[in-house]
C-alpha cells in the first residue's frame, strides 16, 4: 500500500512538473517571439540608415538579450555613401549588413559565439560563411534573398534558422 501511495504521489508530482514545464515552455516561446519581433523591428529601423537605393538591409547581433553589434548595407568607412553607380549597378565594395555588423564586432571585445543575428534579408553565400565562422548560432530573417544557398549552408552547418514576417500595424 505504501508503495502505491508513493507511486501515486510521485506520479502526481511528475504530472504537475510536466504541466508546469509545458506551460513554461509555452511562456518561454511566447517571450522569445516577443523579443524576436522587437529586435526585428529594430533591424528594420536600422536598415533605413542605409544610403543604398536598391535595397536597404539592417542587421543586429544579439547575445544574452544585449545588442552587441549592428550594421546596415553600405560603403566602407571613408568612402562616398553612394552604393550604386549612375547606371544603378551596386559597387563591388559595398558591405552587406551582416558583414558590416560582424566586422564591427571584430573591433570590439565581444564574441558572437552563441549569438542571434536579426536581419531584414536572408544572407547570401558569402555572408553565411562569415556568420558561421563568427560563431552565430541562430539567424532570424524577415525576407528571403533571391538565392537560398546561404540559408542552405547555414542549415547544413547546424545554425538555427527562423523566418519572421512582422505584422504591419495599422494606424
Amino acid at each position: 500500500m505504501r508503495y502505491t501511495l508513493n507511486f501515486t504521489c510521485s506520479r502526481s508530482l511528475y504530472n504537475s512538473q510536466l504541466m508546469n514545464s509545458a506551460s513554461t515552455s509555452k511562456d518561454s516561446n511566447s517571450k522569445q517571439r516577443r523579443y524576436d519581433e522587437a529586435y526585428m523591428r529594430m533591424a528594420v529601423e536600422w536598415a533605413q540608415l542605409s544610403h543604398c537605393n536598391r535595397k536597404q538591409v539592417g542587421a543586429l547581433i544579439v547575445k544574452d538579450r544585449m545588442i552587441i553589434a549592428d550594421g546596415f548595407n553600405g560603403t566602407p568607412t571613408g568612402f562616398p555613401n553612394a552604393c550604386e553607380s549612375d547606371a544603378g549597378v551596386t559597387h563591388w565594395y559595398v558591405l552587406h549588413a551582416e558583414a558590416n555588423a560582424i566586422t564591427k564586432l571584430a573591433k570590439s571585445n565581444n564574441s558572437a559565439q552563441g549569438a542571434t543575428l536579426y536581419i531584414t534579408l536572408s544572407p547570401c553565400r558569402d555572408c553565411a560563411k562569415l556568420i558561421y565562422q563568427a560563431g552565430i548560432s541562430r539567424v532570424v530573417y524577415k525576407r528571403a534573398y533571391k538565392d537560398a544557398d546561404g540559408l542552405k549552408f547555414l542549415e547544413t552547418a547546424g545554425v538555427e534558422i527562423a523566418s519572421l514576417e512582422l505584422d504591419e500595424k495599422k494606424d
Side-chain angles (χ1 to χ4, degrees):
M1 183 79 165
R2 184 172 178 202
Y3 175 78
T4 305
L5 182 60
N6 283 341
F7 177 76
T8 305
C9 289
S10 296
R11 186 172 195 114
S12 269
L13 182 61
Y14 174 77
N15 286 338
S16 173
Q17 288 174 340
L18 209 80
M19 288 174 61
N20 286 340
S21 174
S23 175
T24 303
S25 177
K26 183 179 177 184
D27 291 344
S28 177
N29 288 342
S30 174
K31 186 175 183 179
Q32 183 62 55
R33 172 75 185 202
R34 286 182 49 226
Y35 276 100
D36 286 348
E37 289 174 354
Y39 287 126
M40 186 59 73
R41 283 192 303 271
M42 294 167 76
V44 168
E45 286 295 318
W46 214 247
Q48 294 178 21
L49 296 173
S50 172
H51 291 275
C52 295
N53 295 320
R54 288 184 8 165
K55 281 187 188 102
Q56 292 182 311
V57 182
L60 296 176
I61 300 175
V62 176
K63 185 174 180 179
D64 300 326
R65 301 227 192 278
M66 290 184 293
I67 298 169
I68 59 172
D70 57 59
F72 52 86
N73 57 325
T75 59
T77 304
F79 279 70
N81 283 328
C83 295
E84 296 91 2
S85 67
D86 291 337
V89 177
T90 301
H91 296 299
W92 67 268
Y93 51 82
V94 169
L95 290 165
H96 289 186
E98 58 271 52
N100 211 341
I102 290 169
T103 56
K104 280 184 182 180
L105 187 63
K107 291 180 179 180
S108 76
N109 291 328
N110 289 313
S111 165
Q113 196 67 42
T116 297
L117 170 70
Y118 293 90
I119 186 149
T120 58
L121 186 67
S122 66
C124 70
R125 293 181 287 187
D126 288 332
C127 289
K129 293 183 283 186
L130 293 175
I131 291 165
Y132 177 68
Q133 282 297 103
I136 293 169
S137 62
R138 184 168 178 254
V139 173
V140 180
Y141 69 93
K142 184 175 183 231
R143 290 184 331 272
Y145 182 62
K146 62 185 175 186
D147 180 2
D149 286 345
L151 289 176
K152 290 176 189 171
F153 171 81
L154 290 171
E155 286 176 336
T156 300
V159 175
E160 182 184 339
I161 305 293
S163 172
L164 178 65
E165 187 62 40
L166 295 174
D167 294 331
E168 301 299 324
K169 293 185 179 182
K170 297 178 184 176
D171 293 330

